[in-house]
Coordinates of all heavy atoms in Angstrom, one line a residue:
I164 N 4.9 10.5 -13.7 CA 4.5 9.1 -13.9 C 5.1 8.5 -15.2 O 5.4 7.3 -15.4 CB 3.0 9.0 -14.0 CG1 2.4 9.1 -12.6 CG2 2.5 7.7 -14.6 CD1 2.8 8.0 -11.7
L165 N 5.5 9.4 -16.2 CA 6.0 9.0 -17.4 C 7.3 8.2 -17.2 O 7.7 7.3 -18.0 CB 6.2 10.2 -18.4 CG 5.0 10.8 -18.9 CD1 5.3 12.0 -19.8 CD2 4.1 9.8 -19.7
I166 N 8.1 8.7 -16.2 CA 9.4 8.0 -16.0 C 9.1 6.5 -15.6 O 9.8 5.6 -16.0 CB 10.2 8.7 -14.8 CG1 10.5 10.1 -15.3 CG2 11.4 7.9 -14.4 CD1 11.2 10.9 -14.2
L167 N 8.1 6.3 -14.7 CA 7.8 5.0 -14.3 C 7.3 4.1 -15.5 O 7.7 3.0 -15.6 CB 6.6 5.0 -13.2 CG 6.2 3.7 -12.7 CD1 7.3 2.9 -12.0 CD2 5.0 3.8 -11.8
R168 N 6.5 4.7 -16.3 CA 6.0 4.0 -17.5 C 7.2 3.6 -18.4 O 7.1 2.5 -19.0 CB 5.0 4.8 -18.2 CG 3.6 4.9 -17.5 CD 2.7 5.8 -18.2 NE 1.4 5.7 -17.5 CZ 0.5 6.7 -17.6 NH1 0.7 7.8 -18.3 NH2 -0.7 6.5 -17.0
Q169 N 8.1 4.5 -18.5 CA 9.3 4.2 -19.4 C 10.2 3.1 -18.9 O 10.7 2.2 -19.6 CB 10.0 5.5 -19.7 CG 9.3 6.5 -20.5 CD 9.9 7.9 -20.5 OE1 10.9 8.1 -19.9 NE2 9.3 8.8 -21.2
C170 N 10.4 3.2 -17.6 CA 11.4 2.2 -17.0 C 10.8 0.8 -16.8 O 11.5 -0.2 -16.7 CB 12.0 2.7 -15.7 SG 10.9 2.8 -14.3
L171 N 9.5 0.8 -16.7 CA 8.8 -0.5 -16.5 C 8.2 -1.0 -17.8 O 7.0 -1.2 -18.0 CB 7.7 -0.4 -15.5 CG 8.2 -0.1 -14.0 CD1 7.0 -0.1 -13.1 CD2 9.2 -1.2 -13.6
Y172 N 9.1 -1.1 -18.8 CA 8.7 -1.5 -20.2 C 8.1 -2.9 -20.2 O 7.4 -3.3 -21.1 CB 9.8 -1.4 -21.1 CG 11.0 -2.2 -20.8 CD1 11.1 -3.5 -21.2 CD2 12.1 -1.7 -20.0 CE1 12.2 -4.3 -20.8 CE2 13.1 -2.5 -19.6 CZ 13.2 -3.8 -20.0 OH 14.3 -4.6 -19.6
S173 N 8.4 -3.7 -19.2 CA 8.0 -5.1 -19.2 C 6.6 -5.3 -18.6 O 6.1 -6.4 -18.5 CB 9.0 -6.0 -18.5 OG 9.1 -5.6 -17.1
I174 N 6.0 -4.2 -18.2 CA 4.6 -4.3 -17.6 C 3.5 -4.1 -18.6 O 3.6 -3.2 -19.4 CB 4.5 -3.4 -16.4 CG1 5.4 -3.8 -15.3 CG2 3.0 -3.3 -15.9 CD1 5.3 -2.9 -14.1
I175 N 2.6 -4.9 -18.6 CA 1.4 -4.7 -19.4 C 0.3 -4.1 -18.5 O -0.1 -4.7 -17.5 CB 0.8 -6.0 -20.0 CG1 1.9 -6.7 -20.8 CG2 -0.4 -5.8 -20.8 CD1 1.5 -8.1 -21.3
Y176 N -0.2 -2.9 -18.8 CA -1.2 -2.3 -18.0 C -2.5 -2.5 -18.7 O -2.8 -2.0 -19.8 CB -0.9 -0.8 -17.9 CG -1.9 0.0 -17.1 CD1 -2.0 -0.3 -15.7 CD2 -2.6 1.0 -17.7 CE1 -2.9 0.4 -15.0 CE2 -3.5 1.7 -16.9 CZ -3.7 1.4 -15.6 OH -4.6 2.1 -14.8
Q177 N -3.4 -3.3 -18.1 CA -4.7 -3.6 -18.6 C -5.8 -2.8 -17.9 O -6.0 -3.1 -16.7 CB -4.9 -5.1 -18.6 CG -4.0 -5.9 -19.4 CD -4.4 -7.4 -19.4 OE1 -4.9 -7.8 -18.4 NE2 -4.0 -8.1 -20.5
Y178 N -6.5 -2.0 -18.6 CA -7.6 -1.3 -17.9 C -8.8 -2.0 -18.2 O -9.2 -2.2 -19.4 CB -7.7 0.1 -18.5 CG -8.9 0.9 -18.0 CD1 -9.3 0.8 -16.7 CD2 -9.6 1.7 -18.9 CE1 -10.4 1.5 -16.3 CE2 -10.7 2.4 -18.5 CZ -11.1 2.3 -17.2 OH -12.2 3.0 -16.8
Q179 N -9.4 -2.6 -17.2 CA -10.6 -3.4 -17.4 C -11.9 -2.6 -17.1 O -13.0 -3.2 -17.1 CB -10.6 -4.7 -16.5 CG -9.4 -5.6 -16.8 CD -9.4 -6.8 -16.0 OE1 -10.0 -6.8 -14.9 NE2 -8.7 -7.8 -16.4
G180 N -11.8 -1.3 -16.8 CA -13.0 -0.5 -16.6 C -13.5 -0.5 -15.2 O -13.3 -1.4 -14.4
Y181 N -14.2 0.6 -14.9 CA -14.7 0.7 -13.6 C -16.1 0.2 -13.4 O -16.8 0.3 -12.4 CB -14.7 2.2 -13.1 CG -13.4 2.4 -12.3 CD1 -12.2 2.7 -12.9 CD2 -13.5 2.2 -10.9 CE1 -11.1 2.9 -12.1 CE2 -12.3 2.3 -10.2 CZ -11.2 2.7 -10.8 OH -10.0 2.8 -10.0
G182 N -16.6 -0.6 -14.4 CA -17.9 -1.3 -14.2 C -17.6 -2.4 -13.1 O -18.5 -2.6 -12.3
S183 N -16.4 -2.9 -13.2 CA -16.1 -4.0 -12.2 C -15.1 -3.4 -11.2 O -14.6 -4.2 -10.3 CB -15.5 -5.2 -12.9 OG -14.3 -4.8 -13.6
K184 N -14.8 -2.1 -11.2 CA -13.9 -1.5 -10.3 C -12.5 -2.1 -10.3 O -11.9 -2.3 -9.3 CB -14.5 -1.6 -8.8 CG -15.8 -0.9 -8.7 CD -15.7 0.7 -8.7 CE -17.0 1.3 -8.5 NZ -16.9 2.8 -8.6
K185 N -12.0 -2.5 -11.5 CA -10.7 -3.2 -11.6 C -9.8 -2.4 -12.5 O -10.2 -2.0 -13.6 CB -10.9 -4.6 -12.0 CG -11.6 -5.5 -11.1 CD -11.8 -6.9 -11.6 CE -12.5 -7.8 -10.7 NZ -12.7 -9.1 -11.3
R186 N -8.6 -2.3 -12.1 CA -7.5 -1.9 -13.0 C -6.3 -2.8 -12.7 O -5.8 -2.7 -11.6 CB -7.1 -0.4 -12.7 CG -8.2 0.6 -13.1 CD -7.7 2.0 -12.7 NE -8.7 3.0 -12.9 CZ -8.8 3.7 -14.0 NH1 -7.9 3.6 -14.9 NH2 -9.7 4.6 -14.2
R187 N -6.0 -3.7 -13.6 CA -5.0 -4.7 -13.3 C -3.7 -4.4 -13.9 O -3.6 -3.9 -15.0 CB -5.5 -6.1 -13.8 CG -6.8 -6.5 -13.2 CD -6.8 -6.6 -11.7 NE -6.1 -7.7 -11.3 CZ -5.6 -7.9 -10.1 NH1 -5.7 -6.9 -9.2 NH2 -5.0 -9.0 -9.8
L188 N -2.6 -4.7 -13.2 CA -1.3 -4.5 -13.7 C -0.6 -5.8 -13.7 O -0.4 -6.4 -12.7 CB -0.6 -3.5 -12.8 CG -1.2 -2.1 -12.9 CD1 -1.0 -1.4 -11.6 CD2 -0.5 -1.3 -14.0

Side-chain angles (χ1 to χ4, degrees):
I164 287 299
L165 290 178
I166 296 177
L167 179 62
R168 287 176 174 154
Q169 290 167 0
C170 70
L171 295 181
Y172 58 87
S173 62
I174 291 180
I175 303 173
Y176 180 63
Q177 294 184 333
Y178 173 42
Q179 296 182 341
Y181 262 88
S183 59
K184 299 289 184 182
K185 293 179 181 177
R186 293 173 183 266
R187 305 298 289 160
L188 293 150

